[in-house]
Amino acid sequence: MKPKVVCLVGHENWGKSETLYYLVGESRHKGWLAINDIDIFVRHISNDDRPNSFIDFITNVKVDNKPCLITALCPNFTNPEARTEYILKTVRKKGYKLYFWVLYNQYGTSDVINTEDINRLQQYGEVEVYKGKSEAPARAKILKTYISKILNA
């Protein structure tokens, strides 16, 4: 199986962390998750939470140790501190195939991800846009189904 990274995409306060919290079984610290009997490393903190820590993780992650990753990602291509472009290029250069599960709606507001961000993500990998407005436990269940399909592909 080709190494894979699933990015849960949304801007700051968009619902990424809460979705991952429920995905891994109501934990902010659990680092591994098994789906379809495949161990997947989950990075809870995104590039908009702690940019330097996230960059260190991406720079140092080894495909051999973590062939499947799930991470939160802020698609802030215009903020140099977020280093979104660097992150995506680095992950791809390491041999990972990129998948993006985009939270189109910010939970609890009318804000949405703009089309330009989605188009930029499509340059790096496959994009699935989730337009639902469900709460985090329901989003996590839908995300898990999406990941399961990717792992079976």
Side-chain angles (χ1 to χ4, degrees), residues 134-147:
S134 54
E135 292 189 11
R139 289 193 310 265
K141 187 175 180 181
I142 296 164
L143 174 57
K144 186 174 183 178
T145 300
Y146 171 72
I147 295 166

Side-chain angles (χ1 to χ4, degrees), residues 107-122:
Y107 184 72
T109 76
S110 60
D111 290 344
V112 298
I113 294 278
N114 68 51
T115 304
E116 183 178 317
D117 286 338
I118 293 170
N119 291 341
R120 297 272 304 264
L121 292 170
Q122 287 174 334

Side-chain angles (χ1 to χ4, degrees), residues 65-117:
N65 297 338
K66 295 179 175 86
C68 291
L69 301 172
I70 300 170
T71 187
L73 179 77
C74 177
N76 194 339
F77 288 96
T78 59
N79 178 356
E81 190 175 286
R83 299 182 67 189
T84 305
E85 204 88 47
Y86 169 83
I87 291 164
L88 300 177
K89 286 179 180 177
T90 300
V91 168
R92 205 163 59 179
K93 190 184 290 185
K94 288 178 179 265
Y96 287 102
K97 181 166 179 160
L98 282 155
Y99 298 87
F100 303 98
W101 198 71
V102 178
L103 294 173
Y104 184 72
N105 300 288
Q106 181 180 26
Y107 184 72
T109 76
S110 60
D111 290 344
V112 298
I113 294 278
N114 68 51
T115 304
E116 183 178 317
D117 286 338

